[in-house]
Amino acid sequence: MSAPHAPVWLAHIEQLADPGSLGLDPGGTGQDTLMLVRRGSDVFAYLDACPHLGGTPMAWRKNAYLNGDGSRIVCHAHGALFDIATGECLRGPCLGQRLTPLQTVVAQDGRLGVYLPHSPSP
Ligand code: FES
């Protein structure tokens, strides 16, 4: 992944429970294309695309990317479980594969920025 120049500010940390997740559609496609996942003071971003079957969207309803106790990211299509911090599939049909991570930044005022793979260069 090339190093994008600047983050796109997409949310505020107060929009996320702890643990919690949020789906976003920064490209205006009409469907969420990335997820933010909060665990404590850490926020992780991944493409909303399961590695099992051709990038299948993973939430079963809006913003629902975590399992019941909030300890793992889950793909609701076939139940794959992913580590929140690494995106590695720990259980399920894509064992050992990973979600596609996006670099994030949390500003001092709580804004959440994501370095999108297609951010325009300066
Ligand atoms: S599409 Fe995600 S587990 Fe099958």
Side-chain angles (χ1 to χ4, degrees), residues 15-54:
Q15 292 176 256
L16 284 157
D18 178 20
S21 58
L22 185 66
L24 295 165
D25 177 20
T29 66
Q31 174 179 306
D32 290 338
T33 56
L34 67 86
M35 70 180 89
L36 297 175
V37 179
R38 178 181 179 186
R39 187 174 62 188
S41 60
D42 294 323
V43 178
F44 304 91
Y46 297 98
L47 294 183
D48 182 358
C50 183
H52 176 216
L53 287 180

Side-chain angles (χ1 to χ4, degrees), residues 25-105:
D25 177 20
T29 66
Q31 174 179 306
D32 290 338
T33 56
L34 67 86
M35 70 180 89
L36 297 175
V37 179
R38 178 181 179 186
R39 187 174 62 188
S41 60
D42 294 323
V43 178
F44 304 91
Y46 297 98
L47 294 183
D48 182 358
C50 183
H52 176 216
L53 287 180
T56 300
M58 296 171 59
W60 67 276
R61 64 173 167 76
K62 178 71 177 164
N63 301 329
Y65 293 93
L66 297 179
N67 62 347
D69 67 5
S71 64
R72 302 279 189 235
I73 297 168
V74 62
C75 176
H76 289 87
H78 305 108
L81 293 175
F82 299 85
D83 183 85
I84 289 175
T86 67
E88 180 180 357
C89 180
L90 303 173
R91 196 176 84 192
C94 47
L95 187 66
Q97 293 181 276
R98 291 179 185 273
L99 300 173
T100 302
L102 301 170
Q103 186 179 348
T104 61
V105 60

